Amino acid sequence: TSKDGSQKYLFRLEDDKHIESVLIPERDHYTLCVSSQVGCAQDCRFCLTAAGGFERNLTAGEIIAQVRDVINHCDDAERLTNIVFMGMGEPLANYKNLVSAIKVITDSDAGLGFSNRKVTVSTAGLIPKLSALGYDTKVNLAISLNAADNQTRNKLMPVNRKYPLELLLEACRNYPLASGRRITFEYILIKAINDSQADAHRLAKVLRPIKAKINLIPFNTHEGSEYECPDEAVINRFQKILIDQNYTVIIRHSKGRDISAAC
């Protein structure tokens, strides 16, 4: 348990591999961050999970069990209302099991009864499965963007070399959004890499044709990383530029840093 109240769960799977989930306290509810794979193959340069490499996909049952077991362990389970697929792994790389798990998690009769509006799937940008997610489920979509130009995104996220920014943004423009929904774009702010005023203006421009909201995540500095978190003044300035261009922008400070549970 973190000093901020976040709780990290370690699950041992039947083949003795391990995954983690994190229960995050919000102002009026809990959010559970679940894993979709053992490790991850995307190799994003800022991600600690990527350093361990990829081992295998989780079964639908192993995904569902994370939610079930935390519900059974949590003292105040009725406050657990939100599920985010932002833990270990790339959810869309385990598409069949992801969708099967979501159907059970959101089934109000025989399943766990979570609202589709309270479940979010985050992807680094695996375009072939992106549009399918909007047709096969009604959950929220989040894009781990982290740069508004190909040169920077190529450096941070190797997936961009296969599915460059132009194709990703086109897929987002064509995504079958449910009425009243927007796509969340996650942007990890990294000092002297993607945090300039020019970066903010570029981000505002490329997202203009999309129904978008933006989560700014100050980089969570960890041992062995070459990157650093920007100064608070830089973060606030970046946010203001986007707000001034009529975007909804939230700064998401990572929780659970002291127990290695943060984004």
Side-chain angles (χ1 to χ4, degrees):
T1 300
S2 167
K3 61 186 178 184
D4 63 29
S6 301
Q7 294 182 335
K8 182 167 71 172
Y9 292 81
L10 178 68
F11 292 94
R12 185 178 68 243
L13 309 178
E14 63 180 354
D15 57 2
D16 284 332
K17 298 187 186 301
H18 294 82
I19 56 170
E20 294 177 349
S21 308
V22 181
L23 184 66
I24 305 165
E26 311 283 2
R27 183 173 60 182
D28 57 357
H29 68 276
Y30 289 135
T31 294
L32 180 63
C33 181
V34 299
S35 296
S36 56
Q37 298 179 309
V38 183
C40 187
Q42 301 308 308
D43 198 26
C44 297
R45 298 295 185 250
F46 49 80
C47 180
L48 186 58
T49 299
F54 171 74
E55 296 194 55
R56 69 168 174 86
N57 287 327
L58 296 183
T59 67
E62 288 168 336
I63 296 172
I64 296 163
Q66 295 171 71
V67 184
R68 178 202 63 196
D69 290 353
V70 172
I71 288 173
N72 290 337
H73 179 270
C74 181
D75 292 334
D76 202 6
E78 65 274 9
R79 292 187 64 203
L80 175 49
T81 58
N82 292 43
I83 305 294
V84 293
F85 285 85
M86 299 181 185
M88 299 169 66
E90 163 55 56
L92 297 191
N94 187 15
Y95 188 78
K96 181 181 177 180
N97 292 328
L98 170 73
V99 171
S100 295
I102 287 172
K103 288 179 179 178
V104 174
I105 289 169
T106 59
D107 188 322
S108 57
D109 295 323
L112 296 177
F114 284 83
S115 167
N116 283 295
R117 300 183 69 91
K118 301 293 186 180
V119 178
T120 300
V121 173
S122 175
T123 176
L126 270 63
I127 292 174
K129 294 299 184 183
L130 198 59
S131 61
L133 184 72
Y135 291 110
D136 292 339
T137 77
K138 296 301 179 185
V139 299
N140 300 310
L141 173 65
I143 302 292
S144 182
L145 193 66
N146 308 311
D149 65 277
N150 280 319
Q151 183 177 0
T152 305
R153 199 164 191 265
N154 285 345
K155 179 179 179 180
L156 295 174
M157 305 179 70
V159 67
N160 196 70
R161 300 190 187 106
K162 186 172 184 179
Y163 303 117
L165 201 56
E166 296 81 8
L167 296 181
L168 176 58
L169 295 173
E170 180 183 9
C172 290
R173 287 194 297 271
N174 296 328
Y175 188 78
L177 276 172
S179 178
R181 305 274 190 99
R182 288 178 288 175
I183 297 174
T184 298
F185 287 86
E186 301 158 327
Y187 193 99
I188 297 176
L189 283 165
I190 305 173
K191 186 175 183 178
I193 299 293
N194 65 357
D195 64 344
S196 70
Q197 295 182 58
D199 288 316
H201 286 290
R202 193 178 299 114
L203 179 62
K205 182 178 180 180
V206 300
L207 295 184
R208 186 63 63 199
I210 302 170
K211 293 180 179 178
K213 59 182 178 180
I214 303 167
N215 282 351
L216 298 179
I217 306 169
F219 178 68
N220 174 32
T221 304
H222 54 267
E223 186 176 350
S225 174
E226 62 185 290
Y227 300 125
E228 298 180 20
C229 180
D231 295 335
E232 187 172 353
V234 173
I235 296 170
N236 292 336
R237 182 182 64 198
F238 199 100
Q239 180 191 37
K240 185 178 186 304
I241 290 171
L242 296 169
I243 289 175
D244 287 347
Q245 299 200 43
N246 298 315
Y247 286 98
T248 298
V249 188
I250 298 173
I251 297 174
R252 298 282 190 187
H253 290 284
S254 295
K255 294 184 178 180
R257 290 186 181 184
D258 53 319
I259 58 170
S260 296
C263 292

